[in-house]
């Protein structure tokens, strides 16, 4: 099946810092999403981004489908950005399912 | 509110018991899923249903039985619960290709 690798596994930031999270995937995909799992366990959909670039406030994401990677940028980080960030991909030839990466655990310190 | 809602949010039960988790979506999506998140936060698909038909069963023990009475509901029944079943179970839904997945808020199952 398709492999999804996220880096770094852990990230500690000072409030106000910028950071980049990376997601590499092993095959072509039809769907790629970024999720934030907050400390209460909720999975919040950040971006649906199988290709191109999107921005939402302080967050933006870029997927380069031909090179099989996606990047999530967090600018001016806040303590509420803490949690685990997941990249997940779907490859229709493999059936309707999202395959998740292992996540990047982010801690933003005040 | 349009959403995927699952109940209960927390479930603590003894080994050997049978329990159910319910999921409902009002997004008009055709496909619904159950995902399991283990203690290391890894998320893995268990089942998917499209218009009430089972599409994916990812080698889940047959103690787990999903049921979809209609395309807006997907319930998960677990028989003879074991300690290793302790996890967070997420329900999700999606439309056809070109749209993202929406997840419920999760059910934290603890087997004691």
């Amino acid at each position: 099946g398709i492999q999804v690798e996220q880096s770094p596994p852990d990230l500690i930031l000072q409030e106000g810092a910028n950071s980049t999270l990376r997601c590499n995937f092993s095959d072509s995909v039809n769907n790629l999403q970024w999720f934030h799992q907050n400390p209460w366990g909720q999975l919040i959909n950040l971006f649906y981004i199988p290709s191109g670039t999107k921005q939402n406030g302080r967050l933006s994401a870029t997927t380069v489908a031909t090179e099989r990677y996606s990047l999530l940028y967090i600018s001016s980080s806040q303590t509420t950005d803490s949690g685990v960030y997941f990249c997940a991909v779907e490859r229709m030839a493999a059936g309707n399912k999202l395959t998740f990466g292992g996540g990047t655990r982010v801690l933003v310190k005040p | 509110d349009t959403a995927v809602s699952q109940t209960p949010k927390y479930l603590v039960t003894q080994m050997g018991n049978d329990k159910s988790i319910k999921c409902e979506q009002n997004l008009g999506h055709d496909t619904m899923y159950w995902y399991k998140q283990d203690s290391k936060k890894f998320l893995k698909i268990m089942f998917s249903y499209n218009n009430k038909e089972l599409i994916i069963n990812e080698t889940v023990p047959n103690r787990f039985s999903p049921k979809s009475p209609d395309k807006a509901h997907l319930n998960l029944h677990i028989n003879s619960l074991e300690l290793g079943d302790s996890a967070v179970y997420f329900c999700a839904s999606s439309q056809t290709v070109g749209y993202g997945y929406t997840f419920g808020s999760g059910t934290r199952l603890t087997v004691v």
Side-chain angles (χ1 to χ4, degrees):
Chain A
I2 192 166
Q3 305 298 314
V4 184
E5 292 186 2
Q6 291 184 242
S7 59
D10 294 281
L11 192 56
I12 299 176
L13 300 170
Q14 204 61 42
E15 198 169 27
N18 303 328
S19 64
T20 301
L21 283 58
R22 187 176 179 102
C23 171
N24 292 333
F25 43 97
S26 61
D27 210 336
S28 58
V29 299
N30 304 97
N31 174 15
L32 187 145
Q33 286 182 258
W34 283 97
F35 294 90
H36 175 218
Q37 187 166 36
N38 63 23
W40 295 271
Q42 288 181 303
L43 271 172
I44 310 298
N45 182 25
L46 298 176
F47 294 102
Y48 168 77
I49 187 165
S51 64
T53 297
K54 290 186 177 179
Q55 179 147 11
N56 184 0
R58 295 180 296 101
L59 300 180
S60 63
T62 295
T63 297
V64 183
T66 52
E67 297 187 22
R68 299 180 186 167
Y69 73 89
S70 183
L71 302 174
L72 178 70
Y73 306 96
I74 305 174
S75 64
S76 304
S77 57
Q78 299 178 358
T79 56
T80 51
D81 295 331
S82 296
V84 184
Y85 290 80
F86 290 102
C87 168
V89 302
E90 179 180 37
R91 178 171 163 74
M92 294 311 295
N96 285 69
K97 61 179 180 180
L98 275 181
T99 300
F100 281 78
T104 293
R105 195 181 301 259
V106 173
L107 175 62
V108 181
K109 293 186 171 181
Chain B
D1 281 347
T2 54
V4 178
S5 56
Q6 52 182 110
T7 55
K9 198 167 175 58
Y10 300 96
L11 189 51
V12 181
T13 187
Q14 290 187 325
M15 273 196 305
N17 282 352
D18 303 339
K19 289 293 178 186
S20 292
I21 307 171
K22 296 186 175 182
C23 179
E24 175 181 6
Q25 55 96 2
N26 61 5
L27 299 163
H29 289 170
D30 292 327
T31 309
M32 296 185 71
Y33 311 82
W34 281 108
Y35 278 79
K36 179 180 179 180
Q37 186 173 41
D38 63 23
S39 57
K40 295 184 179 178
K41 298 282 193 182
F42 188 67
L43 278 148
K44 191 172 188 303
I45 189 166
M46 301 172 68
F47 301 103
S48 78
Y49 269 74
N50 181 274
N51 277 319
K52 303 193 295 177
E53 289 192 31
L54 180 66
I55 304 297
I56 292 175
N57 178 344
E58 288 280 308
T59 60
V60 177
N62 58 17
R63 297 183 296 104
F64 290 78
S65 53
K67 282 189 171 53
S68 181
D70 55 61
K71 77 172 195 176
H73 294 84
L74 180 62
N75 304 321
L76 183 65
H77 188 76
I78 315 170
N79 290 327
S80 303
L81 278 154
E82 301 177 356
L83 292 176
D85 298 331
S86 295
V88 181
Y89 293 85
F90 285 95
C91 178
S93 71
S94 72
Q95 193 50 303
T96 49
V97 177
Y99 298 87
Y101 286 53
T102 302
F103 280 77
S105 56
T107 296
R108 183 175 295 275
L109 171 66
T110 304
V111 182
V112 297

